[in-house]
Structure formats: C-alpha cells, structure tokens
C-alpha cells in the first residue's frame, strides 16, 4: 500500500533526523562553540596582556591592583586568569583556588600550542578535566616576559551545546508534527483517491463499467478520475454498440441465408416443381446480392477507422457530378414516376474533394430519397455557395423520419420502423458510410426531417481556389 510506504518513510525520516542531530549536529555545535568561545577569550586575553599585565611588569600597577582587576574580569568571563613566566611559574592568578599547590606548571612549553592560540585538554596535567585554554604573550620591548592564560572548563561549553541541542530537538518535534499533518493531508488527497481509481480500474478490467469514481477536484487527480469515468462510459457504450452490431449483423445475414438454404433444399428434394424453379432461383440470386451488398458496405465502413482513410483530393465540377449521378437513376425514377428538380448555382461550381467518394455520397442520398418518396413526387437537389463552401442539399417530400430516430440514422444497421416496411433491400449502412465520407473531408452533414412531410440532407464541400 502506498500510504504504508509513506508512513514508513515518515518514521524513517524522524529516526534519521534524530540520529543526525544527536551525532553530527552535536559534534559540529560543540566545535563551533569551542572556536567561538576561544575567539572571544583570545580578544580578552590580548587586551589584558597589553594593558594590565604589561603595566604590572613595568611597575605601573601593583600586584593588588592587577589582582582585583583580574578577579572582576574572571567573574565576568566565568573563567580563570593566570599570568605565568616562560618557565611556567604562576605569577598572578584569579581566582586563587584554581592554582596548583606547587604554583608551577610542570613541563610548561608554550610551543605546544603550535600555530593556534588555544588548546583543549588538561593543560600539562594541571586540571583534572578537559579545559579550554587561551594564551596571549606579554611583550615588553618586543620580548615575551610572560604569558596571560585564560582557562574555561569544557563541561560548561558542553552544557551550552546541550541547550542548543534541546532547542534543535524541540524544533525537530515541531517539524515532525507538521510533517505528520502534511502526510495526513497527502494520504487524504492523494492516496485515498488513488485507491478509488485503482479499484475502479480493476472493475473496468473485469468488464464492469458501471463503477463511477466519485472524485471532484480541480487537479490532476480529479482530471484523471473524470477521464476514467468518461472512458468507462464510452467503453460501456461501445460494448453495447458491439452487441447491437453483432445482433444486427446476425439478423441481416441470417434472414437471407435462411431463405437461400430453404429454397435450395426445396429445389433439391423436389418440393419446388421444375417449372417454378426459375422463380425461386431469382429469389436466391436476389438474397445473394443482398448479402454481397451487406459485405461490401461493411468493408467500406471498415476503411474509415480511427486513423481515417486516404482521400484522392482533386478539382471537379460538383454541378456536373450531380447531373451525372441523377441520370443514373433514370430507370428507377420512371418506374416510380419520381422526377428531379436541379437548382444549381452557376454553370459550374468547382470543389476540392475526392470525386468518387462524393459520387457515393450523392448516390446513397438520392437512392434513399427515391425509396422513401411517394409515387409522382419530386426530389430537389440544390447547390449554394457561401463562405468558401458549397452547400449541397438533397430534399424529398416522402414519409420523413420520426423525431426520436433523427440522431440514430447515422448508426450502422439502423433502420426506422417506417423504413422496415418500405425498404426491404436496405442494409442500414448507407447513411453510416455517407457520414464517414463527409467527416473524412473534415466537412459536416445535417438532416432536417418532419414525419409525413419529407426529409432534407445538407452537406458541405470546400470551394476550389486555384489559378
């Protein structure tokens, strides 16, 4: 679980932070305090060596005067102040109880300080515990007559360091508490929504698209949840469409196959007399053509996938194309006594499109108009140029489309209840193909229909702008 990992990381962060303060921070703080204290004491030592101790050596101040001054300063600094000669003999000390009984620092050697002005230790075995010692030479006529030493116990510096560490621990505790609040907010706003999303994804992978992710935030998590909800809805719709598609295909293929099988068996077993076989063979041929038409329609639609289809764009006269397509229906129009009224803009109207695909669009629209027109009616085909577009309209005065079916006519295999009785040969793929072709040209097609009055399909093509 993500929140368990976050909690473990939070605890690990606390432990590592504590160990860091207890080790590295403690050591660095103590070293810093030592250097800072040594620097302060060194400034005091230089001042005392140049003013008071030098005056004592030159006889300008008595031992009592300088001792009283050193005592006051030692109280202020909370440190011991000594004056020793080059041999290590203690000449002045304040306070008095810090001087060893011999009043001589055994093995005293100022060179032991090296290049530094302070050292930490027992000061040649003088003190029983570690002590910070700072020295400054007392020079008269550029010659060291002695040394002024200031001693401060290291345990006092450790106490100061511990005070700083306590502040650090309290600060860490506050940071740790704030981090816990942030962790809680992170788990609430990130981990819990991710758990919902993960569970929903599992449901989707098992085919259950009914699960909705109830997250409504204006951030990436909210956008992801909304996208997954939309995806689930689309997948559910797609699954339903697939079921309908398979049911429609099964229905439209089963009916002619059943007829073909039945008539062939009847002919073979002699149920149908020889003199009537031609009639039923024509029916079989008709059903075979219907199956072939269905197959061709499905193959045509399969060309228009997600990536679209390749179009052979060229310049052609849409008016001439309309006239040629309309002429191909001359025989059908005579049978049904249907006429065309062509209202075309200008002598010519050139467009940029795939001519063969647009011929197919016109053929399907005109074929539908003839099928659903009343005997003796007129079909109007009109072109209009506007805003660099050519609007092509195919209008009939037939049975019309029910209002609740307007949005469904573009679906594959869809047929209205009215068309089922009127159009026995239709596959329900014609308008789906028309929609795909027009969309492949990045153009639009609309339908206006009133039941019992008629239907008008209008689609657009780009005007040709050439030399």
């Amino acid at each position: 679980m993500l929140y368990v990992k976050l909690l473990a990381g939070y605890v690990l962060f606390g432990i590592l932070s504590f160990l860091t303060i207890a080790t590295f921070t403690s050591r660095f703080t103590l070293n810093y305090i030592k250097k800072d204290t040594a620097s302060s004491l060194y400034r005091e030592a230089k001042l005392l060596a140049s003013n008071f101790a030098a005056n004592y050596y030159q006889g300008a101040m008595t031992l009592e005067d300088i001792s009283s001054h050193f005592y006051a300063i030692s109280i202020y600094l909370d440190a011991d102040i000594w004056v020793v000669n080059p041999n290590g003999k203690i000449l002045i000390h304040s306070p008095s109880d810090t001087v060893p009984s011999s009043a001589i620092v055994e093995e005293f050697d100022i060179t032991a300080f090296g290049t530094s002005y302070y050292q930490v230790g027992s000061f040649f075995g003088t003190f029983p515990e570690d002590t910070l010692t700072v020295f400054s030479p007392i020079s008269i006529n550029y010659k060291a007559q002695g040394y002024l030493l200031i001693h401060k116990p290291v345990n006092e510096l450790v106490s100061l360091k511990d005070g700083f560490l306590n502040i650090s621990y309290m600060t860490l505790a506050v940071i740790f508490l704030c981090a816990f609040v942030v962790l809680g907010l992170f788990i609430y706003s990130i981990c819990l929504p991710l758990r919902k999303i993960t569970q929903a994804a599992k449901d989707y992978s098992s085919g259950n698209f009914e699960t909705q992710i109830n997250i409504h935030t204006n951030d990436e998590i909210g956008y992801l949840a909304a996208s997954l909800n939309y995806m689930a809805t689309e997948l559910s719709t797609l699954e339903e469409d697939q079921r309908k598609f398979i049911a429609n295909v099964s229905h439209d293929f089963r009916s002619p196959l059943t007829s073909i099988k039945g008539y062939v068996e009847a002919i073979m077993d002699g149920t149908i007399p020889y003199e009537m076989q031609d009639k039923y063979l024509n029916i079989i041929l008709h059903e075979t053509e219907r199956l072939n038409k269905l197959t061709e329609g499905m193959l045509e639609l399969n060309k228009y996938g997600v990536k679209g289809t390749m179009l052979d764009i060229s310049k052609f006269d849409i008016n001439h194309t309309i006239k040629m397509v309309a002429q191909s229906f001359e025989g059908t129009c005579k049978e049904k006594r249907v006429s065309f009224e062509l209202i075309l803009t200008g002598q010519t109207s050139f467009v940029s499109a795939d001519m063969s695909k647009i011929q197919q669009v016109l053929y399907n629209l005109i074929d539908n108009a003839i099928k659903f027109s009343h005997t003796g009616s007129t079909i109007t085909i009109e072109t209009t140029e506007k805003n660099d577009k050519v609007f092509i309209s195919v209008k009939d005065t037939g049975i019309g489309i029910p209002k609740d079916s307007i949005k469904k006519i573009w679906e594959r295999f869809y047929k209205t209840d009215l068309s089922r009785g009127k159009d026995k040969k239709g596959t329900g793929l014609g308008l789906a193909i028309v929609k795909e072709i027009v969309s492949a040209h990045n153009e639009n097609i609309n339908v206006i229909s009133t039941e019992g009055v008629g239907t008008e399909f209008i689609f657009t093509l780009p005007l040709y702008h050439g030399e």
Side-chain angles (χ1 to χ4, degrees):
M1 290 294 190
L2 181 60
Y3 69 90
V4 174
K5 293 180 180 179
L6 290 173
L7 187 61
Y10 170 77
V11 173
L12 182 62
F13 165 77
I15 294 173
L16 291 177
S17 299
F18 176 81
L19 292 176
T20 300
I21 292 177
T23 55
F24 295 103
T25 304
S26 176
R27 184 182 306 169
F28 294 152
T29 302
L30 182 58
N31 289 337
Y32 174 79
I33 291 174
K34 286 179 181 178
K35 290 180 180 179
D36 185 68
T37 304
S39 178
S40 298
L41 294 179
Y42 179 66
R43 289 194 296 271
E44 294 291 337
K46 285 177 64 178
L47 181 64
L48 294 174
S50 60
N51 292 333
F52 296 98
N55 289 336
Y56 168 73
Y57 271 96
Q58 293 173 349
M61 294 183 68
T62 64
L63 179 63
E64 291 76 12
D65 289 337
I66 197 169
S67 295
S68 63
H69 279 92
F70 280 7
Y71 180 78
I73 295 173
S74 68
I75 297 299
Y76 171 72
L77 295 178
D78 192 21
D80 302 336
I81 302 174
W82 294 0
V83 176
V84 298
N85 65 14
N87 296 322
K89 183 178 181 180
I90 302 174
L91 304 177
I92 301 173
H93 51 84
S94 182
S96 60
D97 57 356
T98 61
V99 181
S101 57
S102 63
I104 296 177
V105 179
E106 300 291 339
E107 299 180 357
F108 175 75
D109 183 6
I110 199 63
T111 60
F113 283 83
T115 58
S116 179
Y117 55 85
Y118 74 95
Q119 67 170 210
V120 176
S122 62
F123 192 63
F124 304 103
T126 304
F127 300 104
E129 59 184 4
D130 284 347
T131 303
L132 173 67
T133 301
V134 175
F135 85 96
S136 179
I138 303 172
S139 299
I140 299 177
N141 297 324
Y142 304 103
K143 183 178 180 180
Q145 300 296 324
Y147 302 95
L148 190 141
L149 306 172
I150 300 180
H151 308 286
K152 192 174 185 67
V154 172
N155 60 6
E156 294 183 12
L157 304 183
V158 172
S159 298
L160 182 61
K161 179 263 296 181
D162 291 339
F164 281 119
L165 286 186
N166 290 335
I167 295 174
S168 298
Y169 288 134
M170 288 188 289
T171 303
L172 177 62
V174 174
I175 293 174
F176 202 60
L177 180 62
C178 293
F180 184 78
V181 174
V182 172
L183 178 65
L185 291 174
F186 185 82
I187 291 175
Y188 177 77
S189 60
I190 302 295
C191 295
L192 294 183
L194 283 178
R195 287 185 65 184
K196 292 181 180 179
I197 291 173
T198 302
Q199 184 59 48
K202 290 181 180 178
D203 293 341
Y204 298 158
S205 65
S206 62
N208 177 20
F209 301 112
E210 301 299 322
T211 303
Q212 290 291 302
I213 306 171
N214 189 25
I215 300 174
H216 307 285
T217 55
N218 294 323
D219 55 19
E220 288 76 4
I221 296 293
Y223 297 150
L224 176 61
S227 298
L228 288 175
N229 285 334
Y230 177 76
M231 181 194 72
T233 303
E234 290 298 307
L235 287 174
S236 179
T237 303
L238 179 61
E239 188 177 41
E240 182 64 25
D241 289 344
Q242 286 178 339
R243 283 196 293 265
K244 290 181 180 179
F245 178 80
I246 294 172
N248 287 330
V249 169
S250 300
H251 175 271
D252 284 330
F253 271 84
R254 184 169 56 245
S255 178
L257 286 173
T258 302
S259 297
I260 292 171
K261 181 176 180 291
Y263 290 134
V264 169
E265 289 177 346
I267 291 173
M268 291 179 67
D269 62 19
T271 303
I272 298 176
Y274 178 79
E275 60 274 11
M276 296 184 66
Q277 287 183 5
D278 287 345
K279 173 185 175 181
Y280 290 99
L281 285 173
N282 285 329
I283 294 174
I284 292 172
L285 179 61
H286 168 74
E287 294 296 336
T288 305
E289 289 175 350
R290 182 180 170 192
L291 283 173
N292 186 56
K293 192 175 181 181
L294 271 170
T295 305
E296 288 179 352
M298 292 173 63
L299 291 174
E300 180 69 25
L301 279 172
N302 194 50
K303 297 177 183 178
Y304 303 93
V306 177
K307 297 181 180 179
T309 184
M310 294 295 292
L311 298 176
D312 183 15
I313 303 297
S314 62
K315 163 197 170 185
F316 64 94
D317 181 9
I318 189 64
N319 289 349
H320 177 72
T321 303
I322 291 172
K323 293 174 185 177
M324 296 303 295
V325 174
Q327 286 179 8
S328 67
F329 288 94
E330 185 176 352
T332 307
C333 290
K334 283 183 179 180
E335 284 183 23
K336 202 169 182 179
R337 298 198 304 278
V338 173
S339 62
F340 290 114
E341 181 182 5
L342 304 182
I343 306 174
L344 307 178
T345 300
Q347 293 293 323
T348 58
S349 181
F350 289 96
V351 296
S352 295
D354 188 321
M355 187 171 70
S356 64
K357 295 290 191 296
I358 299 305
Q359 284 175 335
Q360 189 175 3
V361 169
L362 290 169
Y363 183 91
N364 286 347
L365 293 179
I366 295 172
D367 184 52
N368 273 356
I370 294 173
K371 287 177 184 176
F372 302 113
S373 290
H374 301 297
T375 302
S377 62
T378 301
I379 297 173
T380 303
I381 305 175
E382 182 178 358
T383 61
T384 306
E385 294 182 6
K386 185 178 180 181
N387 297 329
D388 292 331
K389 299 282 186 183
V390 176
F391 290 78
I392 300 100
S393 165
V394 178
K395 182 178 181 181
D396 65 62
T397 55
I399 61 176
I401 303 171
K403 190 175 182 180
D404 58 352
S405 298
I406 292 289
K407 293 182 179 179
K408 300 178 182 178
I409 61 173
W410 309 111
E411 297 176 7
R412 301 179 182 191
F413 297 104
Y414 181 78
K415 296 181 182 180
T416 66
D417 291 335
L418 291 175
S419 70
R420 290 188 185 277
K422 198 90 174 165
D423 179 22
K424 297 294 185 181
K425 299 180 182 180
T427 63
L429 297 175
L431 289 179
I433 294 173
V434 165
K435 179 73 172 179
E436 294 289 353
I437 291 175
V438 174
S439 297
H441 283 79
N442 294 319
E443 298 295 332
N444 298 309
I445 182 168
N446 296 306
V447 60
I448 303 170
S449 184
T450 303
E451 194 172 351
V453 176
T455 303
E456 180 181 14
F457 287 92
I458 305 170
F459 68 96
T460 60
L461 290 176
L463 268 172
Y464 175 75
H465 295 286
E467 296 179 356

